[in-house]
Amino acid sequence: MESITLRPGHLTAHQTAQQLGITLGGVRQLVHRKQLKRSGGTPRQPWYAVADVTALALKRAENNVA
């Protein structure tokens, strides 16, 4: 379920997974590995900053090309 009060500039876990092309479990692994930081929400419905997700997506794309 999407958060109704999502702050501008943030993505839900579902949106983050979709942007990165991974599963929700993959998002949790990125947080566990400290490659992605939660920026709000609740423990069950975390938010992630759009800038952080975009930077991570670019880094992952760069690594896949090399």
Side-chain angles (χ1 to χ4, degrees):
M1 184 168 146
E2 299 292 322
S3 175
I4 296 173
T5 58
L6 186 65
R7 290 186 291 171
H10 290 80
L11 299 171
T12 64
H14 289 277
Q15 292 168 329
T16 299
Q18 186 177 20
Q19 290 296 315
L20 296 174
I22 59 176
T23 65
L24 289 174
V27 173
R28 286 189 292 271
Q29 284 297 316
L30 290 172
V31 172
H32 178 73
R33 294 178 185 153
K34 300 186 190 291
Q35 295 178 353
L36 183 63
K37 182 180 174 189
R38 294 177 180 157
S39 65
T42 65
R44 293 190 71 157
Q45 293 183 335
W47 300 339
Y48 302 95
V50 170
D52 293 345
V53 174
T54 302
L56 182 58
L58 289 172
K59 181 179 176 185
R60 289 169 58 93
E62 185 178 284
N63 288 340
N64 286 336
V65 172

